[in-house]
Amino acid sequence: MAQAATVHLNSPPAAERETIRGLLDLSSPGDLEALFGRAFRLKEQTVGREIYLRGIVEFSNICEKDCSYCGIRRSNTDLERFQMPPDEIVAASLRAYRGGFKSILLQSGERTDPEFIGLVERVVRRLKEETDDGIGITLSLGEQNHDTYRRWFGAGAHRYLLRIETSSPRLYGTFHPADHDYAFRRRCLASLRRIGYQVGSGMLIGLPGQTTADLAADALFLREIDVDMIGMGPYIPHRQTPLAEKVLNYSPAKQLELGLKMIAVCRILMPDINIAAATSLQTLSPEGWRRGIRAGANVVMPNFTPARYRAAYSLYEGKPAAENETDSLGALESLFTGLTEKIVPDAWGDSPRFFRRNQLRDAPNHESCESSRINIIIRKSA
Ligand code: 5AD
C-alpha cells in the first residue's frame, strides 16, 4: 500500500536536514520516480523546458594541489602533463562557439603563478574580442586570490565554478592535504560573489565515509550561500590516487542513483538556479545526462578539449578520452529525443537566480525569496 508523506521544508535546520536525508535514502523505484518527477515538474515551472549548453575546454592538467580523489593531483607522476598554448585554447573555444555552444567553460588544474594568471586573462580577453562579446565565459580554475578573480572578471569572464567538494570541514580535511584550507575556499566563494560573478559550487557525491546526512548538509550549504548554479557529480575512483584504496563495494549504479537524488533534492531546495548534469554522470551510464535532466538538471556540458589532450585530463577512471557522441548539436538532440525539454543553442543560459537576487536586493522591503517555501509530497511505499 502506498501512503502519502508530506515533507515540509523550511522547518528548523536539524529537521530540514533530516527530511532531506530521508529523501536521499529513498530507494524503491516508485519513491525515486516520485522524487525525480517532483523535481522535474518544479524545474519546468521555474527555469522552464530548456536545456542550456556549455562547451568545456580543459586546457591544462598541471596542478599545484594534491586532492586524494583526483587523478591529476600533483603527486601522480604517472601522467603526461600538458598546457595548451593560448592559440589552441582560443581555437577550441571558437570551435564550440561556432558550433552553437555560445557559452564555454574553461577548466584546468590549479596554478596561481603570474604567468598562468596572465595567460587566462589574455585568452578571455581575446575570446570576447574575437566574438564581439558574443561568447559567455565560465571559469573553473580553482582557488585564487581576490585580485586574480577581479582581473579575470575584468577581462570578461562572468561566471565561476568552484566546488566546495564537501561542506563538512571534517571530511574536507580528510580528502585534502594540509596545504588546503576550508576557510580559504569559503572566502574564495565570497570573493567571487562580491566581484559580481554568477557563482557555482557543488560537491563530490558518494565519497568513502560520506553519509547521506553529510550530503543533506551539503545541499543546505549550497542554499545557504545562495549559489547561482551547481556543478556536482558522483565520485568515480581513480587507480592512481590514495582514496581509491579506501573504496569498498563500489557500485556505479548506486553512485549514479545518488547523483540523481542529489540533483532532485537541490532542485527542490533551489528551484530557480542552473544545475548541471555532470560529465561523471554520463560516464557512469550512457543515460546519465538524460536521467539527470529527468531528475531536475537543466545544463549539460559537452567536451571540446582537442582529442589528443583528453586522455591526460583524467580526473577519474573512464572519463571519455575519445571525441564522443555528445559534442555536436545534432548528437545532443538525439540523446534527448523524446523529452519534453529542448536544447537551446546560441544562448548563454544564465542563471535566473542571479538576476532575481539582484532584483530582490534592489526592491524595497524584501525579506527573502520564496525559493525554499515548498512542501514536497511524495508517495512512500509501505
Ligand atoms: N571523481 C569524480 N569527480 C572528480 N573530480 C576530481 N576527481 C574526481 C573523481 N575521482 C572533480 C572535482 C573537481 C572537478 C574539476 O572534478 O569535484 O572540482
Side-chain angles (χ1 to χ4, degrees):
M1 244 189 38
Q3 151 202 356
T6 309
V7 177
H8 295 274
L9 296 181
N10 243 19
S11 30
E16 203 173 35
R17 192 170 65 235
E18 214 21 53
T19 298
I20 297 167
R21 190 190 59 74
L23 295 176
L24 293 172
D25 285 336
L26 294 176
S27 62
S28 83
D31 287 346
L32 292 179
E33 206 179 301
L35 173 65
F36 299 155
R38 180 71 184 85
F40 181 79
R41 285 191 300 280
L42 193 54
K43 174 186 73 165
E44 284 194 318
Q45 290 158 18
T46 52
V47 296
R49 292 189 167 178
E50 285 152 356
I51 303 173
Y52 297 137
L53 307 170
R54 319 274 177 255
I56 310 188
V57 179
E58 300 152 333
F59 66 83
S60 169
N61 66 354
I62 300 170
C63 194
E64 291 170 0
K65 293 289 176 74
D66 217 20
C67 310
S68 68
Y69 44 80
C70 183
I72 67 168
R73 65 201 300 269
R74 178 183 75 212
S75 303
N76 183 4
T77 50
D78 222 357
L79 186 67
E80 207 177 309
R81 299 285 169 171
F82 73 92
Q83 164 69 58
M84 281 167 60
D87 285 350
E88 277 190 51
I89 307 174
V90 170
S93 305
L94 292 180
R95 187 166 83 81
Y97 179 75
R98 297 198 175 115
F101 299 78
K102 289 277 180 289
S103 224
I104 57 149
L105 171 73
L106 296 177
Q107 194 180 76
S108 80
E110 246 175 82
R111 272 176 65 187
T112 52
D113 54 285
E115 196 188 325
F116 179 80
I117 294 165
L119 177 147
V120 172
E121 189 177 30
R122 285 191 301 278
V123 164
V124 170
R125 192 155 277 143
R126 250 180 81 187
L127 283 170
K128 293 303 263 189
E129 278 165 15
E130 290 198 22
T131 60
D132 204 10
D133 203 22
I135 197 164
I137 302 177
T138 308
L139 299 178
S140 174
L141 309 172
E143 294 177 2
Q144 304 287 342
N145 65 32
H146 189 82
D147 186 52
T148 302
Y149 287 145
R150 220 166 29 80
R151 275 175 63 184
W152 292 344
F153 187 76
H158 78 292
R159 297 191 283 239
Y160 202 102
L161 184 62
L162 178 68
R163 289 186 177 178
I164 190 76
E165 313 295 0
T166 168
S167 68
S168 148
R170 181 186 60 79
L171 285 178
Y172 193 88
T174 67
F175 299 123
H176 300 103
D179 63 347
H180 287 238
D181 178 4
Y182 179 80
F184 181 68
R185 204 169 185 87
R186 296 223 28 192
R187 282 205 298 281
C188 286
L189 287 165
S191 275
L192 292 163
R193 166 63 45 80
R194 237 185 7 261
I195 291 166
Y197 284 97
Q198 291 177 36
V199 180
S201 192
M203 41 272 159
L204 282 160
I205 300 164
L207 289 160
Q210 185 188 46
T211 63
T212 45
D214 294 319
L215 288 169
D218 286 341
L220 288 169
F221 167 84
L222 293 176
R223 188 184 64 183
E224 186 191 314
I225 66 164
D226 197 5
V227 287
D228 301 302
M229 49 202 195
I230 296 181
M232 63 182 171
Y235 163 66
I236 301 176
H238 187 297
R239 224 165 296 165
Q240 291 151 352
T241 60
L243 194 62
E245 289 157 27
K246 304 223 171 90
V247 175
L248 307 167
N249 306 325
Y250 176 72
S251 154
K254 283 269 164 252
Q255 293 297 86
L256 177 67
E257 188 179 291
L258 197 53
L260 295 171
K261 287 192 275 191
M262 277 299 279
I263 289 176
V265 157
C266 286
R267 174 60 68 198
I268 290 165
L269 283 173
M270 295 161 272
D272 60 351
I273 65 169
N274 280 344
I275 301 180
T279 311
S280 67
L281 214 57
Q282 183 70 10
T283 303
L284 288 169
S285 155
E287 295 263 286
W289 279 356
R290 197 183 158 92
R291 294 180 64 186
I293 295 293
R294 297 288 306 172
N298 67 325
V299 175
V300 294
M301 309 197 290
N303 198 331
F304 282 85
T305 309
R308 67 179 173 289
Y309 298 116
R310 285 194 198 182
Y313 202 81
S314 56
L315 303 173
Y316 45 83
E317 249 148 82
K319 194 168 170 295
E323 301 257 353
N324 44 39
E325 307 78 53
T326 55
D327 58 7
S328 73
L329 288 179
L332 283 171
E333 260 154 22
S334 59
L335 197 66
F336 297 127
T337 340
L339 295 187
T340 47
E341 282 103 327
K342 285 277 161 287
I343 56 170
V344 227
D346 298 331
W348 283 7
D350 284 319
S351 163
R353 176 84 197 136
F354 179 79
F355 298 106
R356 203 135 162 252
R357 179 186 317 104
N358 292 345
Q359 268 168 13
L360 283 172
R361 197 194 48 208
D362 297 340
N365 304 325
H366 84 270
E367 274 180 9
S368 69
C369 105
E370 289 297 304
S371 71
S372 60
R373 305 256 158 85
I374 292 157
N375 298 337
I376 339 171
I377 301 179
I378 56 165
R379 276 154 35 92
K380 282 212 150 213
S381 23

